[in-house]
Amino acid sequence: MTRTAPIALSGLQAASRQMQVSAHNIANQGTDGFRRQRLQQTAAEGGGVTTSLARAEEPGDDLVTDLVGMLQAKNAWMANLKVFKAQDETTGSLLDTLA
């Protein structure tokens, strides 16, 4: 049995978390002493991805990195959503041939 759905779900969750981290960094960039958050993604055993949060060593903002992070998160989210749609279509086609 394929593990496509759980793998895609972990990708959706990681992309959503990246969007939250980037938005948090952008919203707080003017705060004195603010240290950016960074999301670290690691391949999970058996497929998918896990995430962990780290804080920057030094205070300061990096608007370009955070905006790029938001765009990457959006694209990753859309790609994982397409995996769900493709699996649904494939399953539907398979059931049609069995009927």
Side-chain angles (χ1 to χ4, degrees), residues 1-90:
M1 183 172 168
T2 181
R3 292 187 24 89
T4 305
I7 292 170
L9 179 60
S10 75
L12 285 170
Q13 291 169 332
S16 294
R17 193 154 185 219
Q18 177 60 56
M19 184 67 77
Q20 291 169 345
V21 167
S22 294
H24 171 78
N25 289 341
I26 291 168
N28 289 290
Q29 68 180 344
T31 304
D32 288 337
F34 176 71
R35 294 185 327 179
R36 295 176 62 254
Q37 294 179 344
R38 293 175 302 160
L39 188 69
Q40 298 174 332
Q41 297 184 26
T42 306
E45 189 173 323
V49 64
T50 61
T51 60
S52 61
L53 199 58
R55 195 162 302 280
E57 299 277 331
E58 299 292 323
D61 61 36
D62 190 349
L63 184 59
V64 172
T65 298
D66 291 320
L67 289 173
V68 169
M70 290 184 98
L71 290 172
Q72 289 174 331
K74 180 196 91 160
N75 290 334
W77 199 89
M78 295 298 292
N80 282 287
L81 187 61
K82 287 184 184 239
V83 170
F84 275 112
K85 185 176 179 182
Q87 181 183 10
D88 184 51
E89 291 171 355
T90 302

